[in-house]
Amino acid sequence: MKREGHGDLKFSKTAAIIISCFFICSVLVSNASAESGILWTFETNRPVTAQPIVADINNDSHLEVVICSKDGNVSVLDALDGSIIWQFYTGVSIVSAPALDDVDEDGKNEIIISGQAYVEDISNDLNRTYVLNCEDGTVVWACGYGSAFSPIVANLNDDNHLEVILDEGTVLCGYNGTYLMSLDSNSSHAIGNIDEDDNFEVVQRASGGNLTALHGENGTVIWTTIVGQIQGWDTGWYLQIGNIDNDAGLEVVSAAFGYIYALNCEDGTPVWSQSYQISLTTTPVFGNLDGDSTIEIVVSAADGNIYVLNGEDGSLAWKYKREGSCTSPPALLDINGDSILDVLVGSGSDSILYGFDGKDGALLYSFMAPQTSTSQSTVYYYTPNEDYVTSPGLGDVDSDGDVDAVVGTYACKIYALDLSGASRLVGPFQSLIQYGPALVFLGLIGVVLVNMQIRKRKAKKQGFVR
């Protein structure tokens, strides 16, 4: 015997299932912002390759974020919500992070930006370095020298005045931008007091394939190491100075022709070399990553690996292989709360910000930046094989007592990230966030249609519908 109302029960169950499914979707979507760890976003007109700076730049007891873009704009944002405080258009393409220091000796920091006009949308040969007032972006001084690398600010000659050093070797007076001297260089520099006197020295890759240490006050040569004569090395672009082996002096670390090597800063003699058959794509970073008494060296390589080396001999502590290249400098911070430094680094080819345990390289964190942008410039400048994520700027962006990260992308987007949440936004869940609102809308339509069908069947049974 046929059960009365069985058809209605079927439709009621169907409606209940649909309602439940889309209720779950709506809950997930409503929580997506918190789950993703995205605190706020900001969009530029051109790709961003320069590391954002997170600091209280105007002494108002609140953090700001400094963004430099290939569109030539310098944007200072409120760190809490990403709103614009001020912007300044330089007219040059800025591809590296600015410096922050009090170069004009007024007791307040200035933003030092350097750029060149050979990139993409600017057709002239303009080069520029600007020093901007942090409070409102007004120009303190500007000059016609420019650099693709970040400017370095240091007191080279112990005269109580700061100098600005550009990557091609130009040294400018920090107070007013006047030209002081030129170093024989075509690469980045590392600066430190390498001979324990009262002055800073400059270690650089010089013309002719050598590494050279110079007196900061006048550019005269202290020592030269013919790198090509040491195990067949060719010279490398990226240098860093620090005490990596717990002795009494400093060392300089670089890489070339497959080797990573360390030299004594005092006289340029070799300390160690290791053949990893890689080339560096960023400046090495030093830090204690395993909680012992020694320093580790973190390098990003063109083969896509992150290498962590023991400072005393260059031996491998651990490495992590990622897809594609790695062209963002690593940043060091404690991600997992164990009071030991971990590694946070952006990618050059997969749009992911990675966090690794400093002790063993275990993956602690990941954030996949969406690979699309609403910026019209993206159509021309953004391509799938340029899924670049910058080195992160670090600071307590949301004022909750924890360190957050701000990164830029080649897709013309800036992301402020709560590091405790963004690891959950990877893969399929991100598709839910992208399409969730449409799914909820379609679900509601489905519920209405099912309900109408139930009413229609009831009416038909009662004889009102044929």
Side-chain angles (χ1 to χ4, degrees), residues 18-49:
I18 292 175
I19 291 170
S20 298
C21 289
F22 284 100
F23 175 76
I24 291 170
C25 284
S26 64
V27 169
L28 289 173
V29 171
S30 67
N31 289 328
S33 179
E35 288 291 319
S36 72
I38 299 176
L39 300 172
W40 50 260
T41 63
F42 178 78
E43 190 154 352
T44 60
N45 295 318
R46 293 290 185 271
V48 177
T49 59

Side-chain angles (χ1 to χ4, degrees), residues 62-370:
H62 298 287
L63 292 178
E64 289 77 39
V65 179
V66 184
I67 303 297
C68 295
S69 170
K70 286 188 174 186
D71 61 11
N73 282 314
V74 179
S75 303
V76 173
L77 312 178
D78 188 317
L80 194 60
D81 59 10
S83 59
I84 297 175
I85 298 174
W86 57 260
Q87 285 184 311
F88 177 81
Y89 179 66
T90 64
V92 292
S93 185
I94 309 168
V95 297
S96 296
L100 194 66
D101 216 321
D102 180 17
V103 295
D104 66 353
E105 303 169 19
D106 65 349
K108 302 176 183 178
N109 283 338
E110 288 77 43
I111 300 172
I112 304 97
I113 309 107
S114 193
Q116 296 178 325
Y118 62 85
V119 181
E120 299 168 340
D121 63 327
I122 306 173
S123 58
N124 57 47
D125 60 355
L126 180 69
N127 296 328
R128 281 287 183 270
T129 296
Y130 285 92
V131 172
L132 304 179
N133 187 304
C134 282
E135 294 179 347
D136 56 13
T138 54
V139 177
V140 177
W141 58 259
C143 70
Y145 297 95
S147 171
F149 286 82
S150 298
I152 299 174
V153 179
N155 181 5
L156 292 181
N157 52 11
D158 195 33
D159 62 352
N160 296 320
H161 302 294
L162 294 174
E163 286 76 47
V164 177
I165 304 98
L166 306 181
D167 72 321
E168 81 284 358
T170 301
V171 180
L172 307 173
C173 172
Y175 186 78
N176 56 21
T178 56
Y179 173 87
L180 297 179
M181 64 177 174
S182 181
L183 307 172
D184 178 19
S185 173
N186 57 358
S187 76
S188 59
H189 307 79
I191 293 177
N193 187 357
I194 65 174
D195 55 6
E196 300 181 1
D197 61 2
D198 294 328
N199 299 324
F200 281 101
E201 287 75 42
V202 180
V203 180
Q204 63 178 26
R205 175 193 179 216
S207 59
N210 303 324
L211 284 181
T212 302
L214 308 174
H215 289 289
E217 64 268 28
N218 54 26
T220 57
V221 175
I222 301 171
W223 54 258
T224 296
T225 294
I226 304 174
V227 180
Q229 294 183 359
I230 303 176
Q231 299 201 31
W233 295 343
D234 186 14
T235 52
W237 282 86
Y238 299 100
L239 314 169
Q240 185 64 281
I241 288 176
N243 186 356
I244 61 173
D245 56 5
N246 289 333
D247 64 358
L250 298 175
E251 290 77 39
V252 56
V253 175
S254 189
F257 207 63
Y259 283 85
I260 297 178
Y261 58 88
L263 307 178
N264 281 308
C265 278
E266 189 175 2
D267 56 12
T269 56
V271 177
W272 52 256
S273 67
Q274 295 284 352
S275 177
Y276 292 105
Q277 296 304 309
I278 60 171
S279 59
L280 297 189
T281 54
T282 66
T283 301
V285 176
F286 303 155
N288 186 349
L289 302 187
D290 54 12
D292 62 5
S293 60
T294 60
I295 294 297
E296 282 72 47
I297 302 166
V298 187
V299 297
S300 298
D303 63 0
N305 284 314
I306 295 293
Y307 291 83
V308 174
L309 313 178
N310 294 303
E312 61 267 26
D313 59 8
S315 60
L316 182 67
W318 57 263
K319 69 177 180 179
Y320 188 96
K321 172 64 177 176
R322 301 173 307 166
E323 295 299 324
S325 64
C326 176
T327 53
S328 293
L332 304 183
L333 76 160
D334 180 12
I335 296 175
N336 57 3
D338 63 357
S339 300
I340 297 175
L341 292 175
D342 304 304
V343 180
L344 190 65
V345 61
S347 170
S349 57
D350 60 12
S351 294
I352 297 177
L353 178 69
Y354 293 90
F356 304 108
D357 191 308
K359 298 184 294 296
D360 57 13
L363 184 63
L364 298 175
Y365 168 93
S366 62
F367 169 76
M368 178 181 288

Side-chain angles (χ1 to χ4, degrees), residues 387-407:
D387 301 332
Y388 181 87
V389 176
T390 69
S391 180
L394 302 176
D396 186 6
V397 169
D398 55 2
S399 300
D400 66 351
D402 299 322
V403 176
D404 307 301
V406 182
V407 296

